[in-house]
Amino acid sequence: MHVNLIPCLTDNYAYIINDNVSKTVGVVDPSEALPVIAFLKKQNLKLDYILNTHHHYDHIGGNTELKKLYNAKVVGFVGDKHRIPGIDITLEDNTKWIFGKSSVKILHIPGHTLGHICFFFENEKIAFTGDTLFSLGCGRIFEGDHKQMLTSLNKIKKLPKNTKIYCGHEYSYKNAEFCMKYDNDNIDLKKKFEKIKQLRSNNLPTLPTALEDELKSNIFLKCDQNDLKTKLNMKNQDDYKVFRKVRDLKDNF
């Protein structure tokens, strides 16, 4: 299966997924239609599915136009059926959905929004995490609460370590600066930041990121670790309190 990054708006990514065996084509989180249409025309592809991780406009803005043009089926969380334009297929937490020849596990990961989901392609080890897990970051908490977001991140942490993470935005550089401020002796983080600097200096995407790298470098995934708690003067504090502190620090960074 091929995954192609489609830059949209100022820092969004839509992802076109193409199952070479079944010839099934989908797009994940199309914030706008034109860049997606341009790619599909160039590759002579027809769109079968529109996959939405959540209802925010910068993830569903292209739904209506793409559905009308290609008669594509819109796929999203059952709890967001009233907020996702043109939704046809409603999915529930911890269920399987079939895309072409691929088995896709649905993870309900609220926090950023209450109806946020992750599409995990089980055999391919690919996860589309929307605005919940970013490279070296996590999403702002708008509709949910800190406990929901931490629980959601812990769900993603349990995926296979070699899972490729495709998230909704190109935030890696700024996220890396934040992680470095509070975890500056982390050798894995330093290496990742250098790679990010090099990619961005050439205007290249920093995604996908590997879950294994995130577990070593992403401060939001390390709130259960004693070394981070010590650095934040929160030794022996509950993981949730540490996460809340880190998220608050990032909100004001």
Side-chain angles (χ1 to χ4, degrees), residues 56-70:
H56 282 164
Y57 185 76
D58 62 336
H59 293 257
I60 53 89
N63 274 25
T64 303
E65 190 174 346
L66 291 169
K67 179 174 180 174
K68 185 178 178 182
L69 184 60
Y70 295 102

Side-chain angles (χ1 to χ4, degrees), residues 11 26 44 48 56 72 117 130 136 143 146 168 180 189 197 226:
D11 56 27
N44 195 29
D48 299 298
H56 282 164
I117 57 173
L136 299 180
E143 296 177 358
H146 290 78
M180 285 294 296
L189 173 59
K197 287 178 184 175
N226 290 328

Side-chain angles (χ1 to χ4, degrees), residues 136 179 186 188-189 192 213-219 222:
L136 299 180
C179 288
N186 184 328
D188 294 301
L189 173 59
K192 190 166 177 65
D213 291 346
E214 294 303 313
L215 291 170
K216 294 174 182 174
S217 308
N218 188 334
I219 197 169
K222 297 180 66 184

Side-chain angles (χ1 to χ4, degrees), residues 5-253:
L5 286 74
I6 310 295
C8 297
L9 303 178
T10 54
D11 56 27
N12 277 74
Y13 288 124
Y15 297 102
I16 292 179
I17 47 179
N18 185 1
D19 183 333
N20 293 329
V21 179
S22 68
K23 307 299 182 187
T24 305
V25 177
V27 63
V28 181
D29 287 349
S31 53
E32 52 181 339
L34 290 181
V36 176
I37 294 168
F39 181 88
L40 293 170
K41 281 185 176 177
K42 189 175 180 182
Q43 300 294 322
N44 195 29
L45 297 173
K46 181 188 178 298
L47 189 66
D48 299 298
Y49 294 105
I50 300 164
L51 289 69
N52 296 133
T53 61
H54 62 296
H55 77 281
H56 282 164
Y57 185 76
D58 62 336
H59 293 257
I60 53 89
N63 274 25
T64 303
E65 190 174 346
L66 291 169
K67 179 174 180 174
K68 185 178 178 182
L69 184 60
Y70 295 102
N71 196 30
K73 300 288 187 187
V74 177
V75 184
F77 183 58
V78 64
D80 265 358
K81 61 185 178 183
H82 62 296
R83 306 199 288 187
I84 292 177
I87 193 165
D88 300 289
I89 299 169
T90 55
L91 303 172
E92 297 184 19
D93 182 35
N94 207 31
T95 56
K96 303 287 179 72
W97 176 64
I98 301 299
F99 176 89
K101 299 289 186 182
S102 300
S103 174
V104 185
K105 186 173 183 179
I106 307 305
L107 302 177
H108 182 216
I109 46 172
H112 181 67
T113 68
L114 291 177
H116 203 304
I117 57 173
C118 166
F119 295 93
F120 175 56
F121 286 68
E122 294 181 298
N123 294 331
E124 295 80 3
K125 304 293 186 290
I126 289 171
F128 295 97
T129 59
D131 287 0
T132 297
L133 176 65
F134 294 123
S135 174
L136 299 180
C138 82
R140 284 181 178 269
I141 296 165
F142 289 128
E143 296 177 358
D145 57 38
H146 290 78
K147 283 188 176 176
Q148 283 179 320
M149 180 63 94
L150 180 58
T151 299
S152 295
L153 292 173
N154 285 337
K155 272 191 186 182
I156 297 172
K157 282 172 71 171
K158 291 176 183 174
L159 295 176
K161 287 186 178 180
N162 61 341
T163 298
K164 291 180 180 178
I165 303 293
Y166 290 88
C167 56
H169 294 268
E170 183 55 73
Y171 288 166
S172 303
Y173 194 101
K174 190 75 175 176
N175 287 344
E177 289 183 324
F178 173 74
C179 288
M180 285 294 296
K181 182 174 181 179
Y182 296 99
D183 198 19
N184 61 9
D185 60 352
N186 184 328
I187 294 170
D188 294 301
L189 173 59
K190 288 179 180 179
K191 288 178 182 176
K192 190 166 177 65
F193 195 14
E194 288 306 312
K195 186 178 177 182
I196 288 168
K197 287 178 184 175
Q198 187 175 2
L199 289 168
R200 293 312 293 156
S201 68
N202 292 301
N203 201 32
L204 293 172
T206 60
L207 303 171
T209 181
L211 180 58
E212 186 171 16
D213 291 346
E214 294 303 313
L215 291 170
K216 294 174 182 174
S217 308
N218 188 334
I219 197 169
F220 291 97
L221 301 185
K222 297 180 66 184
C223 295
D224 58 341
Q225 295 182 16
N226 290 328
D227 66 324
L228 180 63
K229 292 181 180 184
T230 301
K231 288 173 186 175
L232 295 172
N233 295 317
M234 297 187 76
K235 197 172 181 181
N236 300 322
Q237 292 280 338
D238 182 73
D239 299 352
Y240 157 71
K241 290 181 180 178
V242 178
F243 174 75
R244 188 181 184 101
K245 172 74 171 178
V246 173
R247 186 60 256 179
D248 289 348
L249 289 168
K250 181 65 168 67
D251 287 343
N252 296 294
F253 181 67

